[in-house]
Each structure stands twice: as C-alpha cells, then as structure tokens.
C-alpha cells in the first residue's frame, strides 16, 4: 500500500485486524485515498469508543484518540502536496512578471498612467483551492470518503493555478519545448496552441515541438519543430496531434542528455499516467544534475482516470462521440427482430466513459465496467437478463468498457510499448457469448456489435473540452514561469489547481461503486446485480 497516496488505515479491535481495503468492501482503493469508506455505521458509531483506531500513512502514524490528529494529518497533507520549485536547488531571486493583459486593454494614447504590474489579475502564491466540499455525516453515506470512524471534516487544500506576479525566468532567454505522448486524444492541438500563445505573451521567442513523443528526443531524423503563433493558429480545427505521438521511449538519462544538449529550459509534457511518470523521472534527473529546467505536465486521457481531478481533457468529447455509437446501436437493435446492440467503449481500468455515455444516451439496458464484478452465466448472470429483456421489450442495448470482465478471460502477460498489459478483447468475447447463449436455448438473436474506439480518439475537441484545454495549456506556462517543476495542472472541485506529479500518479482513479453517479447509472439502465 505504500504506492498509494492514501493513508493506509488499520483498525485494531480485540484480536481482529482490518485494513482499509477490506473495510472499503468492493470499492477500489483510490476511493479510500483520504481515509476509509463504507464502514458499517454500527461499527463507527457504537464501537468507536471501544476501538483503538490508528491511521498509518507513508510518513505519519495517527492516533484518532489524540485531539491533535487533525492538525498532524493536515500537516502531512500540506507536505505531500507542496509543489517542487527550482529555488529548492538554486538560490534565485524572482523578477516582476512580463505577463500582463493590461496593455492589451488600454487604447493607444489613452493610458491612465498605471503600469502593467498594477493589473489585478495575478494569483497570490498563498492562494489555495479546496479539493473536497461535501461533509459526510456517516461512512455509510453514498460515495463517502472519510478519514476517521466519525467522518470528521478535514480540509484538503491544493495550490491554485494561474499567473504569478513574480517569475523566475527571463523570457527572452527561455527555450521551451512541447511533447505529446501516449495515444491520441481530442484536444491535443488545443493544448499545444495555447501553450505557444501564452509563452509568446510572456515574451518567449524560442519555442519548439518534440515530434512523436519522447521518441523525438533520441530518434535520428526527428528534428525539433519551430513553433509560433502563426504556425499553430489553426491546428485546433482538426483532431490528432500536430506534433505526433508515440508510446514508450528511451531511458530517462538519455532524454535528459538531449534536453541538456538542446539547452531546453521548460518542458511541457502532454500525456496520461505513464507520460506523467516519465515527466516525474525527467524532473528528478534534472534536479539530480542541478539543471534549471521546469518540467510541467498537462493531464491527457479520455479515460478520465487521473487522481484528484474532476475530469481530464478529451473525456467530454469521448462521451459525446460514444453516445453517437450507442444511438446507432439502439437504432439497429430496435429495428431488428430480437435485436441486441453491443457497444464496446474505451476504459482499460476505469468505466467512466461507459458510465457517462450510458447516462447521457438513456438507451442502455446493461452497462458493464471494470470496477464492478459480474457473471455472464447462470440465473443471476448477464445473459439471463438479456434473455428477459428480449422477452419483455423485444430488444436490448449493452455497453461494455474494454477492461470489463477481464477475470472471465484468459490473461496475457504481454505489454505494449508503454508497459500496459495488453487486455483480452471482452467486446468480441461478449458478442460470441451472446450468440452462443441464444443459439443454445433456441432463440433467434440478431447481434449488432460496434467498436468506435479510434473514431472517438481521433476527433476534434468539442466546446467543453476546448475550453478546458485552453485553460490547462495557459496554466502550464504560468506554472513553469512561477518556477514550479514536477507538477501538473488540473481542474479540482471546479477550480484549476497545481498538483505534484508524485501524488497524481500513485494509482489510477476509478469509478466508486458506492458513488451517486454509478447509482444514477443503475437507475437509468434498470439492471440488477450480476453476482
């Protein structure tokens, strides 16, 4: 559990010993990231006085009977979520920022005498955003995330993102590089574009793109791509990545060798969990070599599986495109005799796309995601429910995440270039199982299988994602000029914040089976438990 950002909580009563993972029941571990969830209320209320309760984190041992445990917890939280800064290594003095929009709003010849630095548009270094706003009365409340058995309110503050009044780089001396890693995602070009725009407002003239992910740092023949406002002006009008993407890469030391040789001062890494891990390793190697380089990541994953963030860019677009596939499956199934529409959506370890697409379409009868175990066969299985649906309504539509049902398939130890385990194709397996089931019982079933994966990934960002990409790209530049490194920017509790990459990459975010959102999905589909 040391790999989790959460406090690994152990409860000792008599001779019994329970871990927080056990207390969370079927919930995934990251849902307990700030404590335990779903503890039986009888235990938490009636037994709290009799229990000797302690919380153990990576750096802290908390005793809940200690009146100062909250203070100790918050001090530990503040330490973990403090942002790495170049002044941790270098003795530098800041200068007034070159970023100001005041001059752009003052008509020529109508200057009121105020200087740009008086513009009230900067974020104070001590500004914080609250990560969570719900005070749960009981650990049994839907979606509850509690630290102690009484669900005490504890504030979780993170650093507010945005431009600072003081910066730690001379813009005219900066060389900034942008790299897009991993798979395609709607909005990549929007982020690239805004990073370039914002760098130029600061006064940076030397901006380059690294082609095809981390590979561009070491692959012969892949040259830097000079970037400017003119070059990237219209790249947001198309999907994909203007710089290209790839998975995997060279050793961290080789990448930093390249960064050092190219005299790069700021590196903006746009990618998911794996790319963030790479950015963290680059940041640490630069520190080890005492290089004045700010490494700032921008979270990119349509799976929406990055910790602490409300959502990542590309997710809204993916849900919108997935809904189109579901609508097609619905029409096909509704128009056929005993039609079964089956849609497989992206989601290796999380079911956010499948859940939200099912909710938004309103046409799904069964939604299967990786976080919820289920059986296909038997009286309480999925196939029996599909049989019931064909008898009662004449057709049905099923939505599955690609990572669902992996425990029902033969496992593979093969991995892709990013180190991800190559999943067995549950969509095809489900299609075959449905065909076989209805053939065996002598019932005609017309299966319509749709896999829109690459259509979802390659499209242009919708309006919601375009706005998110714009803000994330701008905040990445603000963070670099503020002197931060080893950080990422995200939207947390509707506010934009900076987070240390170390905390973000410890584990993927998962759908909480006890959350209100999953309960809403079940209400919409009307599906029973498949256990």
């Amino acid at each position: 559990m040391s790999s989790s950002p959460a406090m690994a909580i152990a409860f000792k009563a008599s001779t019994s010993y329970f871990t927080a993972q056990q207390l969370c029941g079927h919930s995934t571990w990251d849902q307990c990231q700030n404590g335990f969830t779903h503890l039986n209320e009888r235990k938490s209320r009636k037994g709290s006085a009799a229990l000797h309760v302690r919380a153990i984190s990576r750096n802290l041992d908390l005793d809940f009977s200690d009146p100062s445990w909250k203070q100790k917890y918050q001090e530990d939280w503040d330490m973990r979520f403090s942002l790495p800064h170049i002044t941790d290594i270098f003795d530098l003095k800041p200068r007034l920022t070159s970023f100001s929009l005041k001059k752009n709003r003052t008509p020529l010849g109508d200057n009121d005498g105020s200087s740009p630095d008086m513009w009230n548009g900067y974020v104070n270094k001590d500004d914080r955003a609250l990560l969570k706003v719900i005070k749960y009365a009981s650990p049994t409340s839907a979606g509850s995330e509690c630290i102690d058995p009484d669900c005490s309110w504890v504030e979780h503050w993170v650093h507010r993102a945005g431009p600072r009044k003081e910066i730690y780089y001379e813009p005219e001396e900066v060389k900034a590089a942008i790299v897009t890693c991993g798979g395609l995602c709607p909005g990549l070009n929007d982020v690239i574009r805004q990073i370039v725009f914002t760098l130029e407002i600061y006064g940076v003239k030397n901006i380059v793109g690294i082609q095809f992910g981390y590979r561009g740092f070491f692959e012969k023949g892949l040259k830097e791509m000079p970037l400017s406002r003119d070059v990237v002006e219209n790249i947001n009008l198309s999907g994909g990545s203007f710089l290209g993407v790839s998975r995997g890469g060279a050793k961290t030391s080789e990448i930093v060798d390249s960064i050092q040789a190219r005299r790069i001062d700021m590196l903006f890494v746009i990618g998911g969990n794996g790319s963030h891990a790479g950015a963290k390793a680059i940041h640490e190697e630069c520190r080890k070599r005492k290089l004045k380089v700010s490494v700032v990541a921008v979270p990119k994953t349509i799976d929406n599986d990055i910790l602490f963030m409300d959502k990542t860019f590309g997710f809204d677009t993916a849900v919108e495109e997935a809904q189109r596939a579901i609508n097609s499956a619905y029409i096909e199934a509704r128009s056929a005799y005993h039609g079964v529409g089956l849609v497989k959506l992206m989601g290796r370890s999380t079911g956010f796309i499948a859940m939200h697409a099912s909710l938004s379409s309103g046409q799904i009868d069964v939604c299967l995601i990786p976080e919820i175990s289920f059986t296909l066969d038997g009286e309480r299985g999925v196939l029996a429910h599909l049989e019931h649906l064909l008898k009662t309504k004449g057709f049905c539509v099923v939505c599955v995440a690609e990572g669902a049902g992996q425990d029902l398939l033969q496992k593979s130890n093969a991995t892709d270039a990013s180190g991800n385990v190559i999943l067995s194709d549950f969509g095809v397996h489900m299609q075959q199982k449905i065909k076989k089931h209805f053939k065996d019982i002598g019932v005609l079933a017309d299966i319509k299988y749709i896999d829109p994966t690459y259509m979802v990934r390659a499209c242009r960002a919708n309006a919601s994602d375009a706005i998110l990409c714009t803000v994330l790209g701008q905040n990445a530049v603000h963070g670099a000029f503020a002197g931060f490194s080893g950080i990422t920017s995200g939207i947390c509790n509707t506010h934009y914040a900076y987070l240390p990459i170390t905390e973000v990459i410890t584990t993927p975010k998962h759908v909480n089976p006890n959350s209100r959102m999953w309960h809403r999905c079940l209400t919409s589909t009307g599906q029973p438990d498949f256990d």
Side-chain angles (χ1 to χ4, degrees):
M1 293 185 185
S2 60
S3 63
S4 170
M7 305 196 71
I9 301 176
F11 295 84
K12 298 181 181 179
S14 303
T15 57
S16 300
Y17 179 83
F18 304 95
T19 64
Q21 181 76 34
Q22 293 167 325
L23 286 167
C24 287
H26 296 291
S27 299
T28 51
W29 175 240
D30 66 277
Q31 292 302 324
C32 307
Q33 56 189 316
N34 297 309
F36 67 91
T37 64
H38 325 318
L39 180 64
N40 181 273
E41 186 162 3
R42 178 184 59 81
K43 292 182 180 179
S44 66
R45 296 298 178 190
K46 294 183 178 180
S48 59
L51 288 173
H52 178 59
V53 185
R54 302 184 72 86
I56 306 167
S57 76
R58 291 172 298 180
N59 305 312
L60 188 66
D61 185 353
L62 282 180
D63 184 348
F64 291 130
S65 63
D66 180 357
S68 64
W69 75 263
K70 279 189 183 181
Q71 179 182 348
K72 292 178 180 178
Y73 177 88
Q74 289 187 315
E75 287 174 353
D76 181 63
W77 174 275
D78 292 341
M79 179 185 67
R80 286 167 45 206
F81 284 82
S82 63
L83 303 178
H85 199 275
I86 57 174
T87 55
D88 298 338
I89 304 297
F90 301 98
D91 183 16
L92 299 173
K93 299 296 182 183
R95 53 152 285 183
L96 286 178
T97 184
S98 55
F99 179 85
S100 176
L101 303 181
K102 177 75 172 179
K103 54 191 176 186
N104 295 338
R105 293 202 301 266
T106 304
L108 190 64
D110 191 29
N111 197 311
D112 60 3
S114 61
S115 60
D117 60 90
M118 295 299 292
W119 176 57
N120 190 27
Y122 302 111
V123 172
N124 190 288
K125 64 179 181 180
D126 294 321
D127 284 359
R128 298 292 185 270
L130 194 59
L131 193 62
K132 301 178 185 300
V133 293
I134 299 178
K135 184 185 185 304
Y136 296 101
S138 165
T140 59
S141 295
S144 62
E145 296 175 354
C146 302
I147 299 169
D148 69 326
D150 293 317
C151 248
S152 300
W153 170 253
V154 178
E155 296 174 344
H156 297 90
W157 296 102
V158 291
H159 291 254
R160 185 184 177 201
R164 268 56 174 173
K165 195 170 183 178
E166 295 181 330
I167 59 177
Y168 288 83
Y169 287 91
E170 294 292 338
E172 64 274 8
E173 298 175 2
V174 166
K175 179 177 181 180
I178 307 170
V179 61
T180 54
C181 306
L184 289 181
C185 175
L188 282 169
N189 288 334
D190 299 70
V191 177
I192 295 169
R193 181 173 181 263
Q194 285 300 322
I195 291 176
V196 173
F197 284 7
T198 311
L199 284 168
E200 288 197 350
I201 290 177
Y202 271 96
V204 178
K205 303 298 182 183
N206 193 357
I207 310 170
V208 298
I210 305 299
Q211 297 189 69
F212 299 103
Y214 289 132
R215 183 175 299 277
F217 282 110
F218 63 89
E219 188 82 18
K220 292 181 179 180
L222 294 180
K223 297 181 180 180
E224 295 177 351
M225 182 184 297
L227 300 177
S228 66
R229 190 181 191 97
D230 290 341
V231 173
V232 302
E233 184 73 48
N234 297 315
I235 64 173
N236 61 312
L237 300 180
S238 61
S241 170
F242 181 68
L243 300 176
V245 296
S246 70
R247 297 188 181 277
K251 294 180 180 179
T252 303
S253 58
E254 295 178 0
I255 294 176
V256 177
D257 286 344
S258 179
I259 290 173
Q260 195 168 3
R262 298 167 190 251
R263 299 182 180 276
I264 292 172
D265 303 293
M266 295 179 180
L267 176 62
F268 300 97
V269 179
I270 309 171
N273 278 305
S275 304
H276 273 60
K280 173 180 174 287
I282 293 169
H283 156 73
E284 291 176 345
E285 181 65 19
C286 287
R287 282 200 156 199
K288 181 180 177 182
R289 300 188 190 188
K290 297 190 183 305
L291 301 177
K292 187 188 173 186
V293 178
S294 283
V295 181
V296 179
V298 180
K300 172 229 71 173
T301 166
I302 63 175
D303 287 351
N304 196 35
D305 62 350
I306 295 185
L307 274 182
F308 305 113
M309 299 183 187
D310 296 355
K311 63 179 178 180
T312 50
F313 80 81
F315 174 68
D316 278 355
T317 306
V319 171
E320 187 174 302
E321 291 300 311
Q323 183 180 300
R324 300 181 197 275
I326 290 174
N327 291 341
S328 297
Y330 170 82
I331 293 171
E332 288 283 355
R334 181 69 179 82
S335 301
Y337 177 71
H338 281 182
V340 179
L342 176 61
V343 181
K344 184 185 81 170
L345 300 177
M346 298 185 73
R348 291 181 53 84
S349 60
T350 63
F352 287 104
I353 294 179
M355 177 176 69
H356 282 257
S358 296
L359 269 170
S360 62
S361 71
Q363 297 162 344
I364 294 296
D365 297 294
V366 176
C367 178
L368 303 177
I369 61 176
E371 293 87 346
I372 309 295
S373 60
F374 56 87
T375 58
L376 294 179
D377 302 305
E379 293 182 1
R380 297 170 62 87
V382 175
L383 296 175
H385 184 58
L386 297 186
E387 185 179 339
H388 167 74
L389 290 171
L390 291 191
K391 288 180 181 178
T392 55
K393 61 183 288 190
F395 72 99
C396 60
V397 184
V398 181
C399 177
V400 302
E402 62 177 320
Q406 291 299 305
D407 57 320
L408 305 176
L409 305 175
Q410 184 175 356
K411 294 185 178 180
S412 168
N413 294 323
T415 58
D416 61 19
S418 297
N420 300 313
V421 174
I422 297 177
L423 301 177
S424 300
D425 196 328
F426 181 71
V428 172
H429 175 76
M430 187 71 179
Q431 179 189 26
Q432 294 171 346
K433 287 287 290 186
I434 295 173
K435 284 183 178 180
K436 184 178 185 303
H437 174 79
F438 285 103
K439 181 179 180 181
D440 290 345
I441 64 174
V443 174
L444 176 66
D446 193 352
I447 318 297
K448 309 295 185 181
Y449 179 52
I450 298 176
D451 180 356
T453 297
Y454 292 102
M455 294 175 63
V456 168
R457 292 181 1 150
C459 63
R460 175 187 173 187
N462 66 8
S464 174
D465 271 327
I467 294 171
L468 178 58
C469 291
T470 295
V471 181
L472 292 179
Q474 292 177 4
N475 282 338
V477 177
H478 296 320
F481 268 103
F484 299 123
S485 182
I487 67 165
T488 189
S489 175
I491 183 169
C492 305
N493 183 26
T494 72
H495 297 286
Y496 292 93
Y498 293 133
L499 301 168
I501 294 177
T502 303
E503 295 297 327
V504 166
I505 64 173
T506 48
T507 182
K509 182 176 72 172
H510 294 282
V511 172
N512 180 357
N514 193 48
S515 67
R516 288 294 301 126
M517 190 59 73
W518 176 244
H519 294 170
R520 294 175 187 123
C521 186
L522 295 180
T523 301
S524 178
T525 64
Q527 69 191 64
D529 290 333
F530 300 117
D531 53 15

